Amino acid sequence: MTDTPSHLSSPPETQSCCSARHHAAGQDVPLIKVPEALDLLKVMVRPILEQQSRPLGKALGHVLAQALTSHVPLPINDNSAVDGYAIRLSALKQAPLDHDMRSLPIAGRIAAGNDISHIPSDAVCVRILTGASVPVWADSIIMQEDTQLSEDGNFASFSELPTQGSNIRRQGEDVPQRSVIIEKGARIDTRHIAIAAASGNAQLPVVRPIRVALLATGSELNHPGADLPPGGIYDSNTPMLTALLSRANIDLTIHHMVQDKFETIRDTLSHLAENNDLLVTSGGMSVSDEDYIHRAITAISGTFEVHKLRLKPGKPLGFGKVKNCVFIGLPGNPFAALVGFLLFGTAALDALAGISSKPAPMQGEADFTTPNGGTRLEFVPVRISGTSENGLPKLDKIGRGGSARLRPLIEADGLAALPIANQGIAKGDRLDFYEFHCAFELG
Ligand SMILES: Nc1nc2c(c(=O)[nH]1)N[C@H]1C(S)=C(S)[C@@H](COP(=O)(O)OP(=O)(O)OC[C@H]3O[C@@H](n4cnc5c(N)ncnc54)[C@H](O)[C@@H]3O)O[C@H]1N2
Ligand code: MOO
């Protein structure tokens, strides 16, 4: 914790053999660059191997545990892409020309779902509707709009010779039978549900839900809406992180706010680590005498892989393990907690679920300037202000910075990353851009 007014703080730590020693150590630890830290995280996290089978209706947002194959070819049969007439091309070519039209006798009608065994094998033309199975003798389908019917409705006339195979959707052209339709590690969204259903899969093998515990530390914290004591603030990190962790494949345990008291934090962390795959805390990561997370994790034999980052906001972010539980300690400042979770929380969840690839960030162009950059990769809220000559979104920086401010995020379209030790950002510089909402949300 940063130092809070003394009347609100817990009594100063008394047992503290270790506090002074660790404190000093906390200040000395090297700052790790973000890509390096992400690599360390990926090596550290072991994917969950247990699987479960979920019906399609309950699979959205889960992660596929094995590659899924199709039970049938798609399309299942050769079928018509249009409403029209299925014809035998050789017969049409031989039909005499009459007023530039060729006529064929209509041998029957086939709609989607019909059995076609009643259609004679020597037929040369049938009425066919979209999705209907195509008889083997038919080699083209002519659209209804390019056809004239005789008065008695028994003959169809055509002015053009179609290309062989036109308007026929061939069996297996989309998906051959027993081929892989979704790779292991895919997060199931609307597209996957559709193809799984079309290919006859009623159940999906998914990674069992990830057990995640959330703990906000801070004696100043109160539930939103409560009467605030002097010096109190509302806890925004728990609701924010709860929202970020509200995913179908997460079993979330929320441990609401603990006081800045070493024993309480130590015992709560120990209990939560025992029962979860991932433990996310907020606050208490800095260097004051009330920042207990590092000491508490160490006291329960946890280890830190990374303790501080070249990241702004989010320098005092650490992660490691307590036995088999992955631990991520986010800084208390709300914007820092958000950035830290978006980078490291989501990476840990992906690694636990066995997802290895992440889409690269979009590119944008700065529509602002900054003086020389510092020694940390910096994330700033940006708004799209237009489109550049290169067709990229132009990004305008919002707000005056500061890891405690949430308001700029409300006006922003996303975050831009300013590289370490940049020479100062000039207008037109390319930046990685992480848009908050993409055009389509598929689940
Ligand atoms: N001497 C130094 N002081 C600080 C350093 C430093 O390097 N040396 N780093 C600063 C940076 S950067 C950050 S970020 C913060 C992070 O500190 P902590 O992780 O220990 O966080 P706290 O002190 O507990 O809280 C910081 C700030 O955020 C508010 N907060 C905490 N939890 C919540 C919550 N759940 N909801 C809303 N707001 C919360 C808290 O009241 C503080 O104002 O340390 C700097 N100090
Ligand atoms: O880096 Mo801290 O996370 O800026 O406030």
Side-chain angles (χ1 to χ4, degrees):
M1 300 287 107
T2 44
D3 291 327
T4 45
S6 58
H7 64 283
L8 290 177
S9 314
S10 320
E13 215 207 313
T14 46
Q15 43 44 359
S16 244
C17 57
C18 43
S19 70
R21 210 172 54 229
H22 279 282
H23 228 5
Q27 291 177 19
D28 292 342
V29 292
L31 271 64
I32 310 286
K33 289 182 180 166
V34 169
E36 206 178 304
L38 284 169
D39 286 345
L40 288 168
L41 182 86
K42 281 175 205 153
V43 171
M44 181 189 84
V45 179
R46 294 267 159 270
I48 294 169
L49 298 177
E50 296 111 280
Q51 308 181 9
Q52 55 182 220
S53 175
R54 295 189 83 85
L56 275 190
K58 296 201 165 153
L60 188 70
H62 287 264
V63 175
L64 203 63
Q66 314 164 15
L68 194 73
T69 53
S70 180
H71 292 186
V72 289
L74 289 176
I76 293 178
N77 292 317
D78 288 359
N79 72 88
S80 178
V82 296
D83 298 318
Y85 294 85
I87 57 114
R88 194 191 294 260
L89 197 51
S90 58
L92 186 60
K93 282 180 181 162
Q94 283 163 20
L97 266 177
D98 180 10
H99 293 88
D100 290 338
M101 305 284 277
R102 291 182 166 91
S103 292
L104 294 176
I106 303 170
R109 179 181 185 278
I110 317 168
N114 286 173
D115 179 2
I116 59 170
S117 55
H118 66 285
I119 303 290
S121 59
D122 59 352
V124 292
C125 173
V126 287
R127 170 78 170 131
I128 195 163
L129 306 190
T130 306
S133 301
V134 177
V136 280
W137 51 261
D139 35 26
S140 300
I141 311 236
I142 300 176
M143 282 181 79
Q144 186 170 324
E145 293 87 328
D146 300 331
T147 309
Q148 282 180 18
L149 267 191
S150 62
E151 269 184 22
D152 62 6
N154 291 332
F155 286 84
S157 305
F158 312 97
S159 57
E160 307 279 341
L161 284 176
T163 319
Q164 182 143 34
S166 56
N167 295 321
I168 298 178
R169 304 189 287 215
R170 293 289 178 199
Q171 181 187 58
E173 70 180 13
D174 187 15
V175 176
Q177 186 166 11
R178 281 185 282 279
S179 61
V180 170
I181 45 172
I182 314 175
E183 297 290 347
K184 175 183 172 180
R187 180 183 300 288
I188 304 297
D189 68 31
T190 310
R191 301 163 302 153
H192 305 112
I193 300 282
I195 200 166
S199 62
N201 286 284
Q203 301 273 332
L204 300 185
V206 300
V207 178
R208 68 125 168 100
I210 305 170
R211 291 187 279 266
V212 182
L214 186 55
L215 172 69
T217 64
S219 301
E220 74 277 33
L221 302 179
N222 293 270
H223 286 290
D227 288 338
L228 282 182
I233 64 163
Y234 292 122
D235 170 19
S236 62
N237 287 348
T238 304
M240 175 183 76
L241 293 165
T242 300
L244 283 164
L245 287 160
S246 296
R247 297 185 185 179
N249 70 330
I250 291 177
D251 271 350
L252 182 61
T253 301
I254 303 165
H255 197 290
H256 281 283
M257 306 171 299
V258 287
Q259 301 272 310
D260 294 319
K261 192 162 178 291
F262 174 76
E263 292 84 354
T264 313
I265 291 178
R266 178 196 62 199
D267 295 347
T268 310
L269 288 177
S270 172
H271 170 71
L272 294 175
E274 210 45 62
N275 300 301
N276 288 283
D277 304 303
L278 174 64
L279 170 54
V280 179
T281 62
S282 97
M285 286 297 292
S286 189
V287 294
S288 86
D289 49 328
E290 290 205 1
D291 290 325
Y292 291 120
I293 295 289
H294 191 262
R295 278 169 279 170
I297 288 287
T298 310
I300 56 174
S301 306
T303 49
F304 273 82
E305 197 72 37
V306 163
H307 190 187
K308 284 198 173 166
L309 295 169
R310 291 197 185 282
L311 173 63
K312 185 177 177 182
K315 181 176 69 167
L317 183 151
F319 59 80
K321 268 191 164 178
V322 182
K323 295 192 191 138
N324 288 326
C325 179
V326 176
F327 161 77
I328 299 182
L330 300 171
N333 278 318
F335 181 34
L338 176 66
V339 168
F341 184 87
L342 292 176
L343 290 172
F344 291 92
T346 56
L349 290 169
D350 284 355
L352 283 164
I355 299 174
S356 52
S357 62
K358 216 178 176 76
M362 285 171 63
Q363 294 295 291
E365 282 186 19
D367 198 16
F368 60 90
T369 59
T370 63
N372 288 353
T375 55
R376 297 191 270 165
L377 174 69
E378 183 174 1
F379 284 80
V380 295
V382 287
R383 182 170 38 205
I384 298 174
S385 57
T387 305
S388 76
E389 284 174 2
N390 299 313
L392 296 176
K394 285 166 78 173
L395 306 174
D396 196 11
K397 185 165 167 277
I398 295 178
R400 285 178 293 138
S403 63
R405 296 200 178 103
L406 288 173
R407 179 64 201 253
L409 295 173
I410 304 303
E411 288 151 33
D413 295 311
L415 302 178
L418 314 186
I420 285 183
N422 60 72
Q423 304 298 300
I425 303 294
K427 286 197 177 193
D429 281 359
R430 288 270 171 108
L431 298 174
D432 284 352
F433 172 45
Y434 301 79
E435 199 174 5
F436 288 143
H437 295 289
C438 300
F440 299 117
E441 299 200 0
L442 296 177

